[in-house]
């Protein structure tokens, strides 16, 4: 029997290649575990900085976000964050259809720092609907932006108002809104049907 046909001799290079591949994989796994530990440490440090700089307010938000399924705290903080964001947002109507977010940003930049510009588009055609929302960092920036109501942009007169909020509790917290059904309340019920009326 020759050395070329011996299965033991042919298996040795395969075993060496498998061992090299195994060593490479183990080294890669060790590198990934070290990176995961580094990221976890950075995340923990950031959470500590956030809680210490905000005086504990960030801790309640972070814990509430983690406990969304356990209690209503997560829902309450998410609603509060959304209401805060909506409070710093404005509606801009009569926007020209060819307007880009950068152009709107430059028009409102003098009011304050703009966080986000959203030009609303039709979901089927993708064309702009002619209005937009801008989110600012501060209440002062929102007040300055509201002063631009009636200003001319691309030969159109803009309509600038505070963003309307769809949360029914939002306006109750602000001290406004309706206490009931408005004027008159409930005015009656079912009026008839077949044969209708009172037969007393």
């Amino acid at each position: 029997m020759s050395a070329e046909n011996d299965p033991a001799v042919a298996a040795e290079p395969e075993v060496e290649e498998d061992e090299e591949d195994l060593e490479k994989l183990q080294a890669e796994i060790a590198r990934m575990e070290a990176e995961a530990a580094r990221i976890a440490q950075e995340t923990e440090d950031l959470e500590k900085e956030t809680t210490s700089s905000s005086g504990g307010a960030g801790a309640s938000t972070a814990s509430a976000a983690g406990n969304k399924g356990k209690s209503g705290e997560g829902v309450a903080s998410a609603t509060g964050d959304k209401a805060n964001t909506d409070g710093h947002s404005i509606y801009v109507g009569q926007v020209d259809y060819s307007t880009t977010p950068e152009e709107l940003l430059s028009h409102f930049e003098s009011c304050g720092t703009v966080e986000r510009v959203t030009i609303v588009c039709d979901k089927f055609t993708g064309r702009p609907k002619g209005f937009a929302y801008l989110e600012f960092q501060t209440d002062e920036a929102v007040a300055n932006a509201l002063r631009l109501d009636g200003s001319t942009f691309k030969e159109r007169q803009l309509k600038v108002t505070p963003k309307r909020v769809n949360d029914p509790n939002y306006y109750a917290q602000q001290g406004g809104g309706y206490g009931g059904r408005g004027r008159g309340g409930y005015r009656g019920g079912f009026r008839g049907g077949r044969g209708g009326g009172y037969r007393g």
Side-chain angles (χ1 to χ4, degrees):
M1 198 167 163
S2 69
E4 294 174 4
N5 294 334
D6 187 13
V9 174
E12 282 182 26
E14 276 184 25
V15 171
E16 289 177 8
E17 287 178 14
D18 287 344
E19 288 177 1
E20 287 176 15
D21 288 343
L22 183 61
E23 289 173 4
K24 287 179 184 176
L25 285 173
Q26 287 175 341
E28 183 70 18
I29 290 171
R31 185 188 64 78
M32 291 172 74
E33 286 176 347
E35 186 174 345
R38 180 187 58 82
I39 291 172
Q41 183 63 39
E42 286 179 4
T43 304
E44 187 177 314
D45 292 343
L46 282 173
E47 287 177 355
K48 286 179 183 176
E49 286 178 20
T50 304
T51 57
S52 65
S53 67
S54 64
S60 64
T61 305
S63 65
N67 295 330
K68 280 185 183 176
K70 296 180 182 176
S71 69
E73 289 178 12
V75 175
S77 73
T79 306
D81 292 344
K82 175 120 175 78
N84 190 22
T85 301
D86 287 342
H88 289 156
S89 299
I90 61 167
Y91 163 86
V92 183
Q94 300 298 319
V95 177
D96 187 60
Y97 296 111
S98 65
T99 301
T100 64
E102 292 79 18
E103 292 170 334
L104 264 180
L105 175 68
S106 66
H107 185 73
F108 285 94
E109 208 166 30
S110 62
C111 301
T113 306
V114 179
E115 289 288 321
R116 181 181 6 203
V117 176
T118 306
I119 296 178
V120 181
C121 296
D122 182 81
K123 66 180 176 180
F124 298 111
T125 63
R127 295 182 183 151
K129 287 186 168 183
F131 63 95
Y133 295 101
L134 277 81
E135 179 186 336
F136 293 92
Q137 277 187 345
T138 62
D139 291 330
E140 295 84 26
V142 172
N144 291 337
L146 292 175
R147 291 187 188 123
L148 290 178
D149 184 27
S151 64
T152 304
F153 177 73
K154 287 194 169 187
E155 300 179 5
R156 297 185 82 168
Q157 191 173 9
L158 295 179
K159 178 182 179 183
V160 182
T161 60
K163 182 180 177 189
R164 185 175 66 91
V165 181
N166 279 333
D167 180 16
N169 297 322
Y170 178 78
Y171 293 107
Q173 293 169 357
Q174 303 297 322
Y178 295 107
R181 287 185 43 109
R183 305 186 293 184
Y186 184 69
R187 293 194 174 181
F190 182 71
R191 283 196 170 192
R194 280 195 272 176
Y198 174 71
R199 295 183 185 157

